[in-house]
Amino acid sequence: NILIIGATGQIGSELTMELRRRYGNDHVVAGYRNSKPSDALADSGPLERVDITNAQRLNEIVKRHGIDTIYNLAALLSAIAEDRPQAAWHIGINGLYNVLETARENGCAVFFPSSIGSFGPSTPRVNTPQETIQRPTTMYGVTKVTGELLSDYYHRRFGLDTRGVRYPGIISSVTLPGGGTTDYAVEIFYAAIKHKKFVCPLPRGAFLDMMYMPDALNCAIDLMEADPSKLIHRNAFNVSAMSFDPEILAAEIKRHMPDFEMTYNIDPKKQAIAASWPNNMDDSAARSEWGWKPEYNFKEMVSDMMEKVSAKLAIAYK
Ligand code: VAH
């Protein structure tokens, strides 16, 4: 059975539904902390209140449900983590430590999502290698590098089956992001459909890796299902599907909606975080070791987002 921690988060809420579709509702336990789960989540399978910083409770839940795989999607995203660095460390690392210890005692495999945020200003920005310098300047990045090292240690030292990917910004029409630096790439679609205009917090030239949510879900599940004997790396694989800056995204939206206008009102905090991250990662290791291949490219993502967000808001744009 599978436990998802952070099942009401941006990735967690859609990953839970996808795992239930693939493995059966009763085999996927949705672990959430504060936010009330959606009806879809609550009505489709088992729920548990999980405080990742409570090791004893985590152990009890893993034993009660016969968990053999833990997807740990509990984290504060980059921008909000800069406002609350102590909480970001507590959830991100003390929480991960509890997950790894619980997994070690119960023989569970662990999925840990790292991020482009695990890189810093001294990391090569273009075609960022799988193995390269990682000196992030944000607390979010510190928790992600630490998490990668801790997860690899548990694999090497205790034989734990830990695996992870360095996610780029994730774009979805289903869930809204919360407190990330890449959130603009989701917010722009809602603003375009509702108001035909968007005020962008990141500047022209802020290139960031991005990925459409359906690819992000396949990515996590395909990695966890991969043949372990083929894995040279573990925590964590560079994975990406596209890289663009606000200018390129706005121009592509304009192709669908000619009267769409974007202006800028730079958020210095988000600008500084984005500037410390690479432009695009080399994800050849993931492609060769476990067959990673995104299905959505930039134009397909934009077109699908325009359609899905327009339908969701019941506002036509064509
Ligand atoms: C954030 N969306 O912006 C997350 C992610 C790569 C970006 O880590 O913090």
Side-chain angles (χ1 to χ4, degrees), residues 1 10 16 29 44 63 65 85 145 161 165-166 171 179 183 204 217 226 245 282 287 312:
N1 291 331
Q10 181 196 8
T16 302
V29 179
S44 61
K63 285 184 167 60
H65 291 277
V145 175
D161 185 0
V165 295
R166 291 173 188 143
I171 297 169
D183 293 2
R204 182 176 293 117
L217 303 182
D245 79 328
D282 168 359
R287 291 168 190 262
K312 184 175 174 182

Side-chain angles (χ1 to χ4, degrees), residues 10 77-79 115-117 140 167-170 179-183 209 277:
Q10 181 196 8
L77 292 182
S78 58
S115 158
I116 55 175
Y140 178 76
Y167 272 131
I170 307 292
T181 301
T182 59
D183 293 2
D209 278 304
W277 292 350

Side-chain angles (χ1 to χ4, degrees), residues 5 50-59 62 70 72 90-106 108 110 150 154 160:
I5 303 174
V50 174
D51 172 356
I52 193 173
T53 62
N54 180 332
Q56 195 265 328
R57 171 112 176 88
L58 190 57
N59 219 314
V62 163
I70 301 173
N72 175 25
H90 192 46
I91 294 166
I93 295 303
N94 295 344
L96 176 64
Y97 176 77
N98 288 339
V99 168
L100 293 170
E101 273 297 287
T102 300
R104 184 172 65 83
E105 284 166 42
N106 296 280
C108 308
V110 177
L150 196 58
Y154 267 72
L160 204 59

Side-chain angles (χ1 to χ4, degrees), residues 83-150:
D83 296 338
R84 301 172 55 204
Q86 293 79 5
W89 176 269
H90 192 46
I91 294 166
I93 295 303
N94 295 344
L96 176 64
Y97 176 77
N98 288 339
V99 168
L100 293 170
E101 273 297 287
T102 300
R104 184 172 65 83
E105 284 166 42
N106 296 280
C108 308
V110 177
F111 174 79
F112 168 73
S114 182
S115 158
I116 55 175
S118 67
F119 297 117
S122 51
T123 303
R125 303 180 67 81
V126 176
N127 291 327
T128 302
Q130 175 62 43
E131 298 185 13
T132 186
I133 188 161
Q134 293 176 269
R135 295 192 64 77
T137 50
T138 61
M139 174 54 97
Y140 178 76
V142 169
T143 68
K144 289 307 181 185
V145 175
T146 309
E148 289 189 14
L149 298 174
L150 196 58

Side-chain angles (χ1 to χ4, degrees), residues 58-69:
L58 190 57
N59 219 314
E60 174 212 309
I61 287 169
V62 163
K63 285 184 167 60
R64 173 143 34 88
H65 291 277
I67 300 297
D68 55 42
T69 303

